[in-house]
Amino acid sequence: MARILSILRSSLGFAGEAGVWKFLALIFALLNLKSLPFVWHIRLLKGLFIHLRTSRLRLATTPGPSTLFQPLITSSRSGSLECDYNLHKSNSTYFSDFDVGRLELIVSLCTHGIEETRKELALEEREGRGEGAMGKGRFEVRLGGVSCQFRKEIKPYEKFEVWTRVLCWDRKWLYVICHFIKPGVTLPKIYTLQPWRKGRQQKDHGPEGNRRANGNATPAQAPHPAIFATGIAKYVFKKGRLTIPPERVLRASQLLPPKPADHKTPPASSTPTPESTSNTAATVSIVDQITPGNAEDVVVASLKADVENENGEWTWEKVEEERKRGLKIADMWGALEGLNGEFAGDGGVVLGRY
């Protein structure tokens, strides 16, 4: 055995005193693999490849209206290179894990719809009709903004899960949220797109736990104790300078149920207007509950989706109810756009340049 180890050390370049340092450097790199150069890109490409391949297989269950607001789970750990001087996961590193979850969610739900919409717009452009004729250029999915609220620290090498799902959409933006949570606290009962996985029955946590499991959380309730952090992001679908309403892509993805005859899909526009007027009263009702001491709790608790229906079916009215509920939070976050006006930019007095 000693001879075999000696041969391995020599062949791998770990012989001698320098070999010890090489070996320690290798162990350190392996313990911080996700922080090495290009590993973030590999994680994204891996998720993209897996979901593109899965979406082309004939699965027993495919995305539909009932899956629109269901979360997708990704897992990771916080390596030492992700930690700051407080010895916990640095705030800047949450966004890279959010990137991976968002990409996998969009690809798993909207791959078919994005392909169909791209083809439809290209045909419309060639024939000089419809929305395709209004926009010149490639069809793209662009990130318009991201924010994160921190609740509890993630310690070095502590494992965590990222639950990512669609929150809502308006005429321009598709809003996506994620929750960084402690693994094993919330156990899925069913994996919709992975029927071969075995789900676990939720433990009985009493009336409070049952309300959470059924998605009946209200803004007055405290957020789930397993949450480390909560993030929100918004995407826009573009063809050149033309903005494509998210509803068109979601419908092409077969994620929306049949809509009433009197409902009209908002048209594409190069200068879309936010959909906030119809929710003003509801938004104010939530804002009225916010105080300096409970603002974070109210917002996080309001992000709980009611993803279960009594008869298991999602009608257009049910989807619209959930969309507008999420839009109350998105409207408040969108109000932060006003911060752009806080930049004076007048070249006046400053503290210094460092």
Side-chain angles (χ1 to χ4, degrees), residues 233-266:
K234 58 182 180 181
Y235 281 106
V236 63
F237 299 98
K238 285 281 191 177
K239 185 179 187 299
R241 296 182 61 85
L242 182 71
T243 298
I244 308 301
E247 182 180 322
R248 176 170 181 172
V249 178
L250 295 177
R251 183 165 299 284
S253 304
Q254 301 179 358
L255 293 172
L256 298 180
K259 61 182 178 181
D262 59 346
H263 180 88
K264 295 182 180 180
T265 301

Side-chain angles (χ1 to χ4, degrees), residues 157-204:
Y157 295 103
E158 183 175 3
K159 188 175 182 179
F160 58 88
E161 294 179 344
V162 184
W163 291 49
T164 311
R165 70 170 180 86
V166 171
L167 175 65
C168 63
W169 62 94
D170 56 23
R171 293 185 178 93
K172 179 178 181 180
W173 302 106
L174 174 68
Y175 295 91
V176 176
I177 63 169
C178 79
H179 295 95
F180 291 78
I181 72 166
K182 189 176 183 65
V185 176
T186 300
L187 306 175
K189 294 182 291 185
I190 297 175
Y191 295 86
T192 305
L193 299 182
Q194 297 174 321
W196 60 87
R197 284 186 179 272
K198 293 184 179 180
R200 296 184 180 181
Q201 188 66 32
Q202 291 279 11
K203 296 181 180 180
D204 186 9

